[in-house]
Amino acid sequence: MKAGAAVLSCALLAGGTVAVARMGTDAAGTGGSGAEAQAPATETPASGAAAPTPAPSTTPVMVYDGGLSSGWNDIGWSPRELPKGAPARMRLFNYGGWILYRPKLEGGFGALTFRFSAPEAYGEFLEARLDAPGAATFPRVPVTPELKVKKDGEWTEVVIPMDLLNPRGETFDRVVLRASKDVGRDWVLFDKVALVPLPPEVAAALAAGGGKTGKGTGREARMSIDCTAPGHRISPLIYGIAFDGLHEKQDTHQFRMGASARRWGGNPTSRYNWKLGGAWNTANDWYYENVDIGVSSDDFLETNRKRGIQSALTVPMLGWVAKDTKSAGFPVSRFGEQQRDDNGNGNGTSRDGTPLKPGEPSLTSVEAPPEFIAEWIASIREKDKARGARGVQMYILDNEPMLWNSTHRDVFPEPLGYDELLKRTIAYGTAVRKTDPEAVIAGPAEWGWTNYLWSAADFAPGKMNHSDRLAHGNEPLLPWYLRQLREHEKKTGTRILDVVDLHFYPQTNVGVGLDGNTDKDTNARRIRSVRGLWDPTYKDESWIGEPVRLIPRMKEWIAANYPGRGISIGEYNFGAFRHMSGGLAQAEALGRFAQENILSAFFWQYPPDGSPVFWAFRAYRDFDGKGSRFQDNWVPAKAADGTSLFVSRDDSGKKLVAVVLNFNPDEAAQAQIELKGCGTLDSVRVLGYSGAPGGFAEQTPGAKAEGSLTQRLPPYSMTVLDLTVKKP
């Protein structure tokens, strides 16, 4: 990164503006013709002549900062106000927009930056492009979450790399900001519009929330690696992801992120009919529709087998599965007009918001008793024998059963209680065990805090809260469930459960999937929320309001009620996949899974290609693109506040791989790492990632001694230390 770009990067992220002297401003009036206005014509190259490559600009060009900068003209077509010393105000209804024009604009730029404020109801509505007279055409670039540097109150700051706006390096003389869909008449505010001299890779890193170098060597961060302390084997299944039926055939990047296992799971799998290939019901996620996803469970298992990925398969115990690929739970033709519908299939809610009483389950489904599941597993095992390899490494007993009366209320409208969960677990679990005696069986795959402790029946309308739990000795659901299964095994000799599987989603309003704000407070809270998995001292910052400490809690419940069970986090993610805060939270979670010695974890579903969360997986699974990875044995380590250090070594003890995280978005850290009992430090290779599109890149190693290493950690960064030692 060039020095000038680094300084500018810091200014953009820290203050949200370009740190340059204010240029002169000209007041502009309001107006708008209802169509895109045209700037005065300028000379263009003769037809067929190549456009000259603009010389790189070395200083930012401010376009609008509380007023138009000198030389710039407002030729937009939307109703607008440009008050002097204040943000521009636009009404962007009817696909409105704003054109900022400067004749004879010279210089090449790395990015367009600006900030805007709009009603949340508008959603993703904005696009940007460049323009010029003549034949040159420029892409329209949607302002998507990955281009939003941060959201600070009502303002969203945007960095758009020039390789998106101007991939052919054409000459341009105007900037266009416009609505890509029809929105309302509320004001949209714009300010601090600038063309800045950032290299494309720096601009992209900024857009992901990283890309800064920080000042100086950084704050001191003392760390230690203790090879004399007891460690443990790391389960490779902690690097799992989930199957996405809609994108299975096109998203090949999911197989380049190093995932060790894939889970066939989620709401629709509760209604999967294996006899119909790709048939399941979308439940309340999408209008209770039976659909054919075009991928069968056999396809899923075979893809995993060919790629060397282990398989976790959800087996329904709801009792009903899709009967075809066309029926729906609440067709308008039968239930009348509803709040929303999809081509005549309603959402099950009347126009006044009242949930509709469902029809018979047979409207969409056929019965699926334990024998139906046993037949399915028998068919899988027959295929296993033919190919000489086990296809399923873990069977999961359905998905979030305490939400069935919501997600699948068209066939299961009554809330599930303690006794019914146990009854179904034993019935379907026994069918699995008898058909596949060596099976690894996991459950109950519950969604979160409420149903770790209570049943759905505890919150049934018209009943006293927690009445079901009180009827079972006021014991939390999970400990009761485990003890009952232990007693069942003692009485019958049939082991139903091998793995305790629970889902974990932070309740601290940090988002799920691609969603989630990326303002400073949310980013910090997103990273802190990982502590709910492992830290007994962390009080959850949501409505929960007490320590969740999920993994230690599960260990205690297992030890007291059914010793020997493994632990799986069957679903989780921390939102903001395209932002460094999401990537750092993910890297932190993978390190803690290794530290806490759990059996498996399955990210929901998988991150976009090249996103910070994608590279968080690669930090552990293939950090150099050549197969180098976190090793198989956990080594205890300590790190300073604001950082994390996760360490592994190979069986010989001669190779150490560490993942070091700096959670500070603005300040570098100077890691001073002491190695205790590991041997004499021999070679050091360092790879770092701070949001650049190319992922991990070689970094200059810091100073090393026989038993210590110093390494600078950029702000908001993941650093991999690939070390070799000479054994004492």
Side-chain angles (χ1 to χ4, degrees):
M1 182 186 294
K2 297 178 182 178
V7 172
L8 183 56
S9 301
C10 293
L12 276 167
L13 263 291
T17 63
V18 182
V20 296
R22 276 280 296 273
M23 305 176 72
T25 59
D26 297 322
T30 62
S33 64
E36 289 195 31
Q38 293 298 313
T42 59
E43 292 187 12
T44 58
S47 177
T53 301
S57 174
T58 58
T59 58
V61 171
M62 185 62 69
V63 181
Y64 187 97
D65 186 7
L68 282 167
S69 296
S70 178
W72 286 89
N73 300 285
D74 162 33
I75 57 172
W77 71 98
S78 286
R80 61 200 180 280
E81 297 176 0
L82 275 65
K84 190 171 183 178
R89 294 153 57 91
M90 308 277 158
R91 297 190 193 275
L92 299 182
F93 62 92
N94 196 25
Y95 296 86
W98 190 27
I99 302 175
L100 296 160
Y101 163 68
R102 178 173 172 176
K104 298 182 180 180
L105 178 64
E106 296 179 351
F109 302 96
L112 169 69
T113 67
F114 61 92
R115 63 193 311 212
F116 76 96
S117 175
E120 287 192 16
Y122 286 9
E124 291 185 18
F125 74 100
L126 192 62
E127 69 180 23
R129 65 179 173 89
L130 308 177
D131 206 353
T137 59
F138 297 86
R140 292 185 171 187
V141 180
V143 179
T144 52
E146 64 267 27
L147 300 178
K148 298 173 182 177
V149 171
K150 65 179 180 180
K151 184 170 172 46
D152 185 7
E154 66 180 34
W155 287 101
T156 298
E157 299 181 15
V158 176
V159 178
I160 307 180
M162 277 295 158
D163 62 349
L164 297 179
L165 288 164
N166 194 5
R168 295 187 298 274
E170 307 259 12
T171 300
F172 65 93
D173 62 8
R174 66 205 79 181
V175 173
V176 183
L177 300 172
R178 64 171 295 168
S180 60
K181 65 181 183 181
D182 198 10
V183 295
R185 293 175 178 263
D186 292 334
W187 289 112
V188 176
L189 278 58
F190 292 96
D191 204 8
K192 304 193 183 301
V193 183
L195 295 164
V196 297
L198 297 182
E201 66 275 9
V202 178
L206 280 173
K212 294 175 296 177
T213 61
K215 297 180 180 179
T217 58
R219 70 192 189 280
E220 182 181 283
R222 293 193 173 274
M223 303 180 179
S224 63
I225 300 171
D226 190 355
C227 294
T228 67
H232 55 255
R233 197 78 172 171
I234 300 169
S235 170
L237 300 182
I238 63 174
Y239 310 108
I241 59 175
F243 167 77
D244 179 356
L246 293 177
H247 301 98
E248 173 74 358
K249 295 182 179 180
Q250 59 258 42
D251 280 356
T252 59
H253 74 273
Q254 63 175 305
F255 304 113
R256 291 188 282 103
M257 57 187 287
S260 57
R262 289 206 302 163
R263 168 180 172 259
W264 171 277
N267 292 334
T269 58
S270 295
R271 308 264 289 276
Y272 176 67
N273 188 338
W274 66 274
K275 291 187 176 182
L276 298 182
W280 62 23
N281 184 280
T282 57
N284 70 343
D285 293 326
W286 191 259
Y287 301 97
Y288 304 91
E289 294 177 352
N290 289 353
V291 298
D292 183 353
I293 58 171
V295 181
S296 70
S297 59
D298 283 343
D299 296 331
F300 166 79
L301 297 176
E302 182 62 13
T303 296
N304 291 349
R305 186 187 69 82
K306 288 180 177 178
R307 293 183 178 272
I309 296 173
Q310 297 201 41
S311 299
L313 189 72
T314 296
V315 294
M317 60 177 196
L318 177 75
W320 297 93
V321 297
K323 70 177 184 180
D324 56 29
T325 58
K326 60 184 179 181
S327 300
F330 295 96
V332 172
S333 60
R334 175 166 175 168
F335 290 86
E337 294 295 322
Q338 297 167 51
Q339 276 187 335
R340 296 185 305 278
D341 74 273
D342 174 44
N343 294 319
N345 297 323
N347 68 341
T349 304
S350 66
R351 286 291 181 88
D352 65 3
T354 304
L356 296 172
K357 182 180 179 181
E360 291 299 316
S362 58
L363 186 63
T364 60
S365 305
V366 294
E367 289 188 84
E371 294 77 17
F372 180 87
I373 301 304
E375 189 179 350
W376 182 22
I377 293 172
S379 73
I380 293 172
R381 295 300 288 144
E382 284 299 315
K383 293 181 180 74
D384 289 350
K385 292 176 184 177
R387 60 187 167 226
R390 171 173 282 276
V392 178
Q393 280 69 43
M394 180 188 294
Y395 297 99
I396 304 171
L397 298 178
D398 217 292
N399 181 76
E400 301 177 346
M402 291 301 165
L403 295 181
W404 284 347
N405 62 303
S406 172
T407 53
H408 299 283
R409 73 178 195 85
D410 59 322
V411 296
F412 202 96
E414 295 301 318
L416 191 69
Y418 279 52
D419 294 331
E420 184 67 15
L421 173 65
L422 179 65
K423 178 182 176 182
R424 288 173 181 269
T425 298
I426 290 173
Y428 285 86
T430 299
V432 174
R433 180 67 67 205
K434 287 185 176 179
T435 311
D436 187 355
E438 297 176 357
V440 174
I441 304 175
E446 278 304 345
W447 78 270
W449 178 255
T450 305
N451 293 135
Y452 307 157
L453 305 175
W454 298 278
S455 73
D458 276 314
F459 305 98
K463 293 186 179 180
M464 182 179 70
N465 268 2
H466 306 166
S467 59
D468 193 28
R469 174 165 158 170
L470 290 171
H472 293 83
N474 199 24
E475 187 172 12
L477 175 63
L478 259 296
W480 179 88
Y481 169 88
L482 290 171
R483 193 174 67 257
Q484 297 302 315
L485 291 176
R486 181 186 185 185
E487 292 302 316
H488 176 81
E489 182 177 351
K490 285 181 179 179
K491 291 177 182 177
T492 65
T494 300
R495 186 179 71 259
I496 299 297
L497 198 73
D498 302 290
V499 178
V500 180
D501 175 37
L502 296 178
H503 299 175
F504 176 84
Y505 290 101
Q507 300 299 298
T508 57
N509 194 29
V510 298
V512 176
L514 296 174
D515 296 329
N517 285 345
T518 52
D519 59 277
K520 186 175 182 179
D521 289 344
T522 303
N523 293 340
R525 193 168 65 251
R526 176 176 292 113
I527 293 169
R528 287 196 304 270
S529 71
V530 183
R531 293 169 58 188
L533 284 165
W534 66 274
D535 186 355
T537 70
Y538 174 66
K539 183 178 178 180
D540 195 87
E541 299 172 65
S542 72
W543 54 270
I544 294 173
E546 62 179 280
V548 173
R549 58 186 194 90
L550 181 57
I551 296 173
R553 186 185 297 268
M554 292 169 73
K555 289 178 178 178
E556 293 169 5
W557 282 343
I558 290 168
N561 297 285
Y562 202 177
R565 301 316 91 191
I567 292 174
S568 179
I569 306 299
E571 281 186 20
Y572 73 98
N573 73 53
F574 304 94
F577 291 174
R578 292 189 172 104
H579 195 269
M580 277 300 297
S581 63
L584 287 165
Q586 181 59 34
E588 170 79 357
L590 292 174
R592 298 300 175 183
F593 293 152
Q595 169 189 294
E596 294 299 314
N597 197 20
I598 67 172
L599 174 67
S600 57
F602 298 92
F603 181 88
W604 181 260
Q605 289 171 301
Y606 50 82
D609 192 10
S611 65
V613 176
F614 174 93
W615 290 111
F617 273 89
R618 287 284 290 265
Y620 292 88
R621 300 299 292 165
D622 185 10
F623 52 80
D624 63 358
K626 299 177 182 178
S628 297
R629 62 176 178 83
F630 208 62
Q631 297 298 296
D632 298 324
N633 300 288
W634 172 258
V635 179
K638 295 180 180 179
D641 288 345
T643 66
S644 281
L645 171 64
F646 304 110
V647 185
S648 63
R649 62 177 169 178
D650 67 358
D651 291 338
S652 74
K654 297 179 181 179
K655 183 179 184 65
L656 295 171
V657 174
V659 174
V660 197
L661 309 176
N662 180 9
F663 301 125
N664 192 302
D666 302 305
E667 187 180 5
Q670 189 75 4
Q672 299 179 358
I673 306 171
E674 178 187 4
L675 282 73
K676 180 180 179 182
C678 301
T680 301
L681 191 57
D682 186 13
S683 69
V684 177
R685 185 170 64 138
V686 181
L687 294 96
Y689 172 72
S690 300
F696 284 90
E698 296 273 354
Q699 307 289 314
T700 302
K704 74 179 179 72
E706 287 189 358
S708 66
L709 171 68
T710 299
Q711 186 64 44
R712 188 178 187 278
L713 311 175
Y716 252 23
S717 64
M718 310 175 199
T719 301
V720 177
L721 306 177
D722 189 9
L723 313 175
T724 62
V725 297
K726 294 179 180 178
K727 296 293 289 180

